[in-house]
Amino acid sequence: MHLTVLSSLDSQCRESAAARLGQTHANSVVVLHDLLDGSLVLRRVYRNGQLFERETTVLEHGCLSCTVRLDVVPTAERLGSCGFDHVVLGLPPGVAAGMAVAGLRRGLSRPAVIDNAVLALDPVDLDDHIWDRHTLFESGFTSMPTDDRTSGEFLIGEFGQVDTVMVHPGLGAVLTGEPREGSAQWLLGVELLGQLASHAGVVGAADDYRPGCFDDAEAAARNRSGVVRVPVSEARGSFRTVLRKAGRPLHPGRFRDALPQLAAGTHWLRGRLWIASAPKTRIAVQGIGPRVWLESSGKWLADTVESAPGLARPGKAGADVDSLLDWHPSHGDRGTVLAITGRSEDIDPQEISDLLDGCQLTEAEMEQDFGVWDDPLELSDAL
């Protein structure tokens, strides 16, 4: 059995993408799940574009993970046993593809190949999604009051997980009747998409679709906290991504002061920090639109018992390939790596370099014991 997992925030985009994905195999079936108010799951099953099953189920605990575990996975199991070769699983808006993939890996009793993890998106809405301060619940994307993710956080997480982004006009285009495809706003959104998900195939209605390119290990490596992936091309356009590194530990106070300037106006800031007040802790930093936060991602590989670059094994799910590639003879994988994506007029590479250089410890400070900094940067700090 072959599976394609489809996520989205927009039900119109999801249904357009699902219809196309259902045509990629001769014996395909498409399932659309929706989590409604009152812990009610609506399930619709289509074959050749025709609805042949519509059921509702009330869950005892109507959360997103329960929807995957108690309805999405059993439905895939049942349809596989019915002889369908390919099942397209259209997830409820806001359900992450990674959650579904993990649930399928754990819950299916029969062998299954996950062909693709696909995100359906209207590129015209992408910029607004990144900068929206409202939670998914407040914006009406999910029925879960406790879901405090923003639309930007959901999409950035999905960009790391999926191998393909299908671009279709969304519900807003349908309601207003505006022809979005090919418009200036559409092309601008596609350009931003290329900066935020440079690895993914972007597929429009007239573009070829490449099935069978999902890679568990690659997806896990991209999603590891503190990992940085940037576009290969540095061609100037409306958006750009700047990559900067620092080989010395950062002064916690100076970095705290510089962080608002580094994050100002950026669509996506990500990377890992070597902070003098916590020299053995690999601190991940992420900023998505208006939100910025720090979190511990464990010890540096160089500070583990078996400190050696060989521990980063490419091909293993979640492998720390960055540590292998950035290994330094004296300080191992320790160091600061930041990537900042935003509008070209808002991103000044020299200013970013100057700010980061000013945060590094001086020669005199490097001679001191790192324990002198008793004011560690709070990992809960956010903007």
Side-chain angles (χ1 to χ4, degrees):
M1 177 172 62
H2 291 253
L3 301 171
T4 296
V5 176
L6 173 62
S7 64
S8 185
L9 286 177
D10 189 307
S11 59
Q12 180 67 32
C13 293
R14 181 192 61 173
E15 295 190 15
S16 297
R20 181 171 183 183
L21 291 167
Q23 300 172 2
T24 57
H25 292 66
N27 189 21
S28 289
V29 64
V30 172
V31 188
L32 298 178
H33 282 88
D34 289 285
L35 178 59
L36 309 177
D37 291 337
S39 301
L40 186 69
V41 177
L42 170 64
R43 180 178 65 254
R44 291 169 290 159
V45 185
Y46 296 82
R47 187 178 185 189
N48 298 324
Q50 300 298 312
L51 178 69
F52 75 85
E53 178 182 305
R54 186 183 189 278
E55 298 288 345
T56 57
T57 304
V58 178
L59 300 178
E60 182 177 351
H61 302 290
C63 63
L64 301 181
S65 60
C66 290
T67 303
V68 170
R69 181 170 55 87
L70 299 177
D71 209 297
V72 173
V73 174
T75 298
E77 179 85 25
R78 174 170 59 87
L79 293 172
S81 67
C82 291
F84 290 107
D85 297 324
H86 178 228
V87 181
V88 179
L89 297 170
L91 303 174
V95 173
M99 177 189 293
V101 169
L104 292 164
R105 296 289 192 213
R106 290 192 303 266
L108 291 176
S109 64
R110 64 181 59 247
V113 175
I114 297 178
D115 279 357
N116 294 86
V118 179
L119 173 69
L121 173 72
D122 186 334
V124 173
D125 297 329
L126 178 55
D127 190 83
D128 288 339
H129 281 319
I130 294 295
W131 288 102
D132 192 355
R133 292 180 176 272
H134 298 93
T135 68
L136 294 184
F137 174 73
E138 291 169 342
S139 297
F141 292 122
T142 76
S143 60
M144 300 299 301
T146 56
D147 194 339
D148 61 357
R149 295 171 298 166
T150 65
S151 54
E153 290 173 59
F154 171 79
L155 290 175
I156 291 295
E158 290 306 276
F159 290 150
Q161 181 67 36
V162 303
D163 52 77
T164 304
V165 180
M166 285 192 164
V167 290
H168 295 275
L171 187 59
V174 174
L175 295 176
T176 61
E178 58 185 43
R180 291 189 171 186
E181 289 182 88
S183 67
Q185 293 84 357
W186 179 279
L187 297 176
L188 197 64
V190 171
E191 184 184 342
L192 176 57
L193 179 57
Q195 294 289 321
L196 301 178
S198 57
H199 67 279
V202 179
V203 179
D207 298 323
D208 292 333
Y209 166 65
R210 184 166 67 93
C213 54
F214 179 71
D215 188 316
D216 263 328
E218 281 295 317
R222 286 193 300 267
N223 279 329
R224 187 173 187 270
S225 293
V227 161
V228 171
R229 299 287 185 270
V230 297
V232 174
S233 172
E234 295 184 0
R236 287 292 298 272
S238 299
F239 299 94
R240 70 187 306 178
T241 297
V242 173
L243 176 68
R244 289 293 180 266
K245 300 181 180 182
R248 294 180 180 178
L250 306 182
H251 187 286
R254 293 200 294 270
F255 182 75
R256 182 189 293 109
D257 293 339
L259 183 55
Q261 295 172 268
L262 289 168
T266 63
H267 288 66
W268 187 23
L269 178 151
R270 66 277 193 196
R272 52 193 180 275
L273 308 173
W274 188 16
I275 302 291
S277 54
K280 294 185 178 181
T281 303
R282 184 180 186 271
I283 297 174
V285 59
Q286 180 145 235
I288 301 172
R291 288 189 175 184
V292 180
W293 65 96
L294 310 175
E295 62 180 351
S296 169
S297 58
K299 287 185 176 182
W300 296 102
L301 187 60
D303 287 308
T304 60
V305 176
E306 304 126 327
S307 59
L311 291 178
R313 297 190 296 276
K316 179 183 178 182
D320 190 358
V321 178
D322 282 21
S323 294
L324 177 63
L325 297 177
D326 284 344
W327 194 267
H328 188 275
S330 62
H331 50 77
D333 59 326
R334 305 182 197 96
T336 293
V337 180
L338 286 180
I340 298 176
T341 299
R343 291 187 179 273
S344 294
E345 63 266 26
D346 296 331
I347 304 296
D348 184 339
Q350 188 59 54
E351 181 182 3
I352 293 170
S353 294
D354 292 344
L355 283 168
L356 197 56
D357 288 346
C359 294
Q360 295 187 83
L361 296 186
T362 64
E363 290 284 358
E365 289 169 333
M366 287 291 292
E367 297 297 324
Q368 302 179 53
D369 187 330
F370 283 0
V372 301
W373 290 283
D374 57 1
D375 179 26
L377 192 67
E378 291 294 333
L379 300 188
S380 60
D381 282 354
L383 302 177

